[in-house]
């Protein structure tokens, strides 16, 4: 019997936020000497009977939580004695049916900030506030000479965005900024090599002069180190990313200046970090142009990732609430 059942997408080379968090947690638990069985969320229905027979001690959900996590948690509480832990990477509980609310679900919710929906969907759970961050060591070395693309390092001011090529990612704000800057600056987007782009998104970006790549980059520090500014343009109401977007944290860890919308828990997590500016969507393109071209001297290099945003803190929190030690 494994010490932990982790319900999440575990990929050796993760390409999006929840995969990164799942891999970091699983690897961290294993490094602490614990056995872990990973269950892909899409296969949870096939695993339920097996889990009832196995009688696991601890089940950790690293995706969402959303309706599916609430349902499986309620069933696990009825059918097993497992301690159920939610790592709230991207909470989506507003659409949970009333039939599933008010039930025994999670024992503990670990998340960036408390939300009313947690009380509605996990009324008996204890909330443990921890920023769900990253492991800076996985990014590679910023000092590497392996600049991944020829358009980088040419002397033209360059801004970068990393993320899904979807309509809810605020990419129209990148288009607007690029059109204002023209050939005076470059905007480069690294899209997911795993998840296909939404129809028309790539075409709109390219038509505006934005350079789009879709590939796995092993040394992300070399990529962030080769640009002048990192851009995160997602609107809060679009819910187009996890609550604490990892691309922003990666840029900060690599000492790259950031212009971001006030999305999710970013303002709370990065309020005192130099080199991070926040702009509402209506002002976003103006701030990008100013930061990149009009007043480049105002750009500050972040000092690195604050200790509070290191992923090891989440692994330690899971071990703590699970009642085991490392």
């Amino acid at each position: 019997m494994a010490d932990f059942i982790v319900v999440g997408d575990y990929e050796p080379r993760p390409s999006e936020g929840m995969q990164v968090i799942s891999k970091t947690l699983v690897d961290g638990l294993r490094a602490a000497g614990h056995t872990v069985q990973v269950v892909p969320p899409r296969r949870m229905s096939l695993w339920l009977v097996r889990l009832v027979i196995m009688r696991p001690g601890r089940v950790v959900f690293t995706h969402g939580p959303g309706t599916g996590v609430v349902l499986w948690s309620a069933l696990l509480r009825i059918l097993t004695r497992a301690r159920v832990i939610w790592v709230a990477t991207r909470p989506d509980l507003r659409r949970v049916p009333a039939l599933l609310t008010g039930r025994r679900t999670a024992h503990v919710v670990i998340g960036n900030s408390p939300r009313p929906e947690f009380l509605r969907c996990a009324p008996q759970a204890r909330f443990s506030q921890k920023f769900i961050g990253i492991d800076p060591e996985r990014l590679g070395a910023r000092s590497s000479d392996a600049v991944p693309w020829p358009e980088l390092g040419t002397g033209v001011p360059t801004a970068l965005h990393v993320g899904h090529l979807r309509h809810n990612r605020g990419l129209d704000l990148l288009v607007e900024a690029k059109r204002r800057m023209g050939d005076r600056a470059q905007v480069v987007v690294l899209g997911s090599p795993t998840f296909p782009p939404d129809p028309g998104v790539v075409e709109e970006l390219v038509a505006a002069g934005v350079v789009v790549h879709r590939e796995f980059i092993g040394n992300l520090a070399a990529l962030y180190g080769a640009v002048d500014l990192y851009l995160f343009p997602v609107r809060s109401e679009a819910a187009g990313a996890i609550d604490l977007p990892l691309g922003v944290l990666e840029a900060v860890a690599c000492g790259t200046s950031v212009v971001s919308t006030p999305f999710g828990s970013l303002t709370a997590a990065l309020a005192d970090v130099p080199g991070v500016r926040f702009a509402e969507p209506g002002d976003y393109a103006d701030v990008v142009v100013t930061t990149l071209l009009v007043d480049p001297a105002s750009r500050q290099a972040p000092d690195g990732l604050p200790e509070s945003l290191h992923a090891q803190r989440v692994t330690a929190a899971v071990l703590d609430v699970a009642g085991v030690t490392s």
Side-chain angles (χ1 to χ4, degrees):
M1 165 64 65
D3 296 333
F4 288 87
I5 305 294
V6 174
V7 183
D9 281 330
Y10 182 93
E11 296 288 341
R13 300 198 310 177
S15 61
E16 59 93 27
M18 286 190 283
Q19 290 178 349
V20 170
I21 290 165
S22 296
K23 183 179 188 302
T24 302
L25 176 61
V26 170
D27 290 351
L29 292 174
R30 288 172 173 164
H34 298 282
T35 55
V36 181
Q37 172 65 60
V38 178
V39 177
R42 61 187 176 278
R43 299 184 64 84
M44 189 60 187
S45 59
L46 301 176
W47 266 84
L48 183 61
V49 173
R50 192 182 308 182
L51 291 177
V52 172
I53 296 171
M54 293 169 61
R55 301 182 66 81
R58 308 165 190 91
V59 179
V60 184
F61 291 88
T62 62
H63 287 223
T67 299
V69 171
V70 174
L71 171 62
W72 297 125
S73 298
L75 290 173
L76 288 170
R77 290 294 300 270
I78 294 170
L79 300 173
T80 75
R81 294 185 178 181
R83 187 165 181 79
V84 178
I85 301 166
W86 295 351
V87 178
T89 54
R90 187 175 181 174
D92 184 17
L93 297 169
R94 289 172 295 178
R95 293 175 290 183
V96 173
L99 182 65
L100 290 177
T101 61
R103 296 180 177 274
R104 294 193 311 158
T105 53
H107 289 85
V108 182
V109 178
I110 300 171
N112 298 307
S113 60
R115 294 169 175 245
E117 306 98 283
F118 292 149
L119 184 60
R120 175 173 171 261
C121 296
Q124 297 179 333
R126 174 165 69 90
F127 181 76
S128 175
Q129 185 165 5
K130 290 286 186 299
F131 288 127
I132 302 172
I134 63 169
D135 177 8
E137 292 184 3
R138 81 174 189 89
L139 301 176
R142 181 187 168 104
S143 59
S144 171
D145 294 328
V147 177
W149 304 316
E151 63 266 19
L152 302 181
T154 60
V156 177
T158 304
L160 170 72
H161 172 70
V162 177
H164 295 298
L165 296 167
R166 291 176 175 164
H167 292 296
N168 64 353
R169 294 285 299 196
L171 300 177
D172 59 299
L173 299 181
L174 303 188
V175 168
E176 181 181 357
K178 173 59 179 173
R179 285 177 173 159
R180 292 191 190 184
M181 296 185 293
D183 294 336
R184 295 177 296 161
Q186 293 190 102
V187 177
V188 183
V189 173
L190 173 60
S192 169
T194 304
F195 298 94
D198 283 351
V201 168
V202 174
E203 291 80 3
E204 181 181 0
L205 289 168
V206 172
V210 175
V211 179
V212 179
H213 292 273
R214 289 186 64 216
E215 61 188 86
F216 178 81
I217 300 293
N219 188 341
L220 286 170
L223 174 59
Y224 288 109
V227 302
D228 302 286
L229 188 64
Y230 183 77
L231 306 180
F232 186 80
V234 183
R235 297 173 173 86
S236 295
E237 64 272 16
I242 63 174
D243 189 55
L244 192 54
L246 302 191
V248 178
L249 303 189
E250 291 170 352
V252 170
C254 294
T256 302
S257 299
V258 174
V259 173
S260 173
T261 52
F263 181 89
S265 296
L266 284 172
T267 53
L270 300 174
D272 299 322
V273 175
V276 179
R277 291 185 176 183
F278 291 101
E280 295 291 345
D283 302 320
Y284 192 81
D286 288 335
V287 174
V288 171
V289 173
T290 297
T291 306
L292 203 58
L293 294 179
V294 178
D295 188 18
S298 67
R299 290 198 304 267
Q300 289 182 272
D303 297 327
L305 193 70
E307 192 66 29
S308 61
L309 297 174
H310 282 231
Q312 291 84 348
R313 291 172 59 89
V314 175
T315 301
V318 169
L319 290 171
D320 178 53
V321 302
V324 297
T325 61
S326 57

